[in-house]
Amino acid sequence: MRFDAFLEDLFRATSGLSPVLSSPVAKAEVFRAIDIALHRHMNKYTAFSHLPTDVVHFIFGMVLDLDRIHDFDLPLDDLERHCKNLFRMRCVSADWNAFLLSTPRYWCTLDLAAPEEMVKAILARAQQTPLCLFSKRRYILGSKSLPGRGCLALLECTTPVRTIRSNDQDTYDFWTRLQLLRETMPDLRTLELTKTAGWEGMGEVLLPEYFGVGLPRIQHLSATGWQPNPGAAWLQNLQTLTLKPPLELNVNMLRVLSACGRVTKLTIHADSGPVSEEELVGAPSVVELPYLQELDIEVDLSLDVGYIVPRLAIPDDTQCFLRIIHIGAQFFVPDICQFLYSGAHESEPPQEAFLEIGDRSTLRSIVWYVVGKRTVDLVPEQQVEGVSGDGFFGVLKAIQAHIKDLPLTLRVWDFDYWTRRILERLHDLKATRIWLKCTRSEVIPEMLEVLGGYNRDLPDNGADDERWPFESLRELTIEGATFDADRLVKIFKIRQGYLRKFSKRWIEKVTLIGCSFYDTDVEMTAVRLAAMRVTLVIPI
């Protein structure tokens, strides 16, 4: 009840009472007025049994997230949470419990680890409601989440199965040995299975007999540790395909991709590949994916890029992501550049590239190269110690040289020890802009030092650029920092003599977004920078 409305009724009911409320009669009148006001507002609420059925369905469906149960990308944790919430709602009242038990739509989710009696009860309540069967890996020491005996009832029931989701390798053999995919899966739309991890039989093809009459309505397939048979006719109906390790980049996998002509979202994470091109004899030379919208590729070595990227024929506007786990000494730059720039026409070449440098404590990777909708991950988190090596810096400089020094923007999402090491090694890149997003203001002095704020000695001649980091820099953007503006002015003053002597240009524009200064006059800072031909921009 709205408290203000209750008070309004209460004051209206007591407005005629005596101001002297100390007597028992006056107190009784006040209590009676409160009782009337309470009952009046309590009666504004409709009892559960009087609510329209469609309203109850709407509320319960929203609470249980029924609309997303069959989504292929719904986390398994959410499916498990749905089952728990359904049980909690049954415990609210006898009316709620009776309503839920009598409505088949709420019994669409079945955990394979459930006890036998519960499985049979859910199947009976679901009637002909399409089921979502799932099995979630439980990381409990000494326990396995094997399917219960009640799952045998799945072979005897006629309830359609729309979704099968499992990240539990212990249930893989259950799905295949019981041949659930033979007769009871004509309505299956989503299949996600995980095979026992191990190098033996890595990427093994799921035997054709386990697909029986096929999966005529399958749309989403996620395979971890196994691959479908490339001859399966239903592959052409897939909209999303995910293949994850242990996975070998081999002939079978390329044939599978070639059969998925209608796929719109493709994820391939291969942790092994061929030693030479001879191992791919018999694989399709071109894999045409005309409807592809999102592509996510992860390979073990940079040479693996050459085995898959040149074969893919995809739309120019496809959102693409490539991760190379071990860059190695061989860069295969042309193949990487083909991945980055295949979406750019010769008549409309890319105008700018971005080098994203992130905080490895919050992001999976710390360095990635971006051109339009194409991204190449250059330093995965597990290889961050390789920053001191030449692989990463070599491939980055080779890419820049291959594309004839496309204007490069460095976007630094945070500044820490690894970020500083990376920037110091990239000082001779032809970067035209640096954008720094700050989470800690104390890093600003270090960042300015990397740009040359510590160097007071002028180079001997105009060609000596090594002593001056980021010679090509034209714009600096800092966001969300509080710092001493004198430090910012200082790096320009240090370089002024050198810039004038050799007629060189450097930073021409400084943009401060959401920044503030320590005891510094902003207008005076702008004047001092303007005297050195630097424009200070502070957006409102």
Side-chain angles (χ1 to χ4, degrees), residues 215-397:
L215 307 171
R217 298 185 180 181
I218 189 76
Q219 296 178 349
H220 311 287
L221 175 65
S222 178
T224 299
W226 62 277
Q227 299 179 32
N229 190 304
W234 48 264
L235 286 175
Q236 63 183 346
N237 299 326
L238 288 180
Q239 296 179 7
T240 67
L241 173 62
T242 300
L243 302 175
K244 291 188 176 182
L247 175 68
E248 182 179 3
L249 202 165
N250 54 23
V251 174
N252 183 82
M253 194 197 76
L254 292 173
R255 287 176 176 173
V256 169
L257 299 184
S258 184
C260 301
R262 296 182 179 276
V263 70
T264 59
K265 183 176 182 179
L266 176 61
T267 301
I268 304 171
H269 292 177
D271 54 355
S272 179
V275 177
S276 64
E277 190 71 32
E278 285 75 19
E279 295 186 27
L280 295 179
V281 174
S285 58
V286 178
V287 176
E288 295 188 3
L289 303 172
Y291 301 102
L292 193 64
Q293 299 175 9
E294 297 180 38
L295 174 63
D296 182 350
I297 300 178
E298 180 179 292
V299 294
D300 184 42
L301 302 174
S302 54
L303 63 90
D304 293 331
V305 177
Y307 295 136
I308 186 170
V309 168
R311 300 173 188 267
L312 298 180
I314 60 179
D316 294 339
D317 59 350
T318 301
Q319 188 85 35
C320 300
F321 183 85
L322 171 64
R323 175 180 290 109
I324 304 172
I325 301 300
H326 301 98
I327 293 178
Q330 294 177 298
F331 303 148
F332 295 87
V333 171
D335 295 321
I336 296 176
C337 288
Q338 178 182 348
F339 178 86
L340 282 169
Y341 300 104
S342 60
H345 301 284
E346 293 184 4
S347 59
E348 298 179 4
Q351 299 299 312
E352 188 176 20
F354 295 89
L355 187 66
E356 306 271 0
I357 304 176
D359 177 10
R360 69 189 184 101
S361 66
T362 57
L363 300 173
R364 183 175 178 181
S365 305
I366 64 170
V367 180
W368 54 104
Y369 193 96
V370 184
V371 178
K373 292 186 176 182
R374 306 291 173 95
T375 301
V376 174
D377 184 347
L378 294 174
V379 181
E381 184 177 351
Q382 59 266 37
Q383 293 295 315
V384 71
E385 65 273 9
V387 171
S388 60
D390 296 327
F392 154 65
F393 300 102
V395 71
L396 178 58
K397 294 176 182 179

Side-chain angles (χ1 to χ4, degrees), residues 400-420:
Q400 279 292 96
H402 188 85
I403 59 177
K404 299 179 181 178
D405 293 320
L406 186 70
L408 181 65
T409 294
L410 304 185
R411 292 200 289 214
V412 184
W413 294 89
D414 202 350
F415 193 85
D416 56 12
Y417 170 73
W418 292 108
T419 305
R420 176 161 187 159

Side-chain angles (χ1 to χ4, degrees), residues 152-158 184:
L152 296 175
L154 289 169
L155 294 178
E156 304 171 358
C157 75
T158 59
T184 60

Side-chain angles (χ1 to χ4, degrees), residues 24 115 179 237 252 312-313 371 389 481 502-503 505 507:
Q179 303 180 14
N237 299 326
N252 183 82
L312 298 180
V371 178
F502 298 105
S503 300
R505 299 167 54 212
I507 295 178

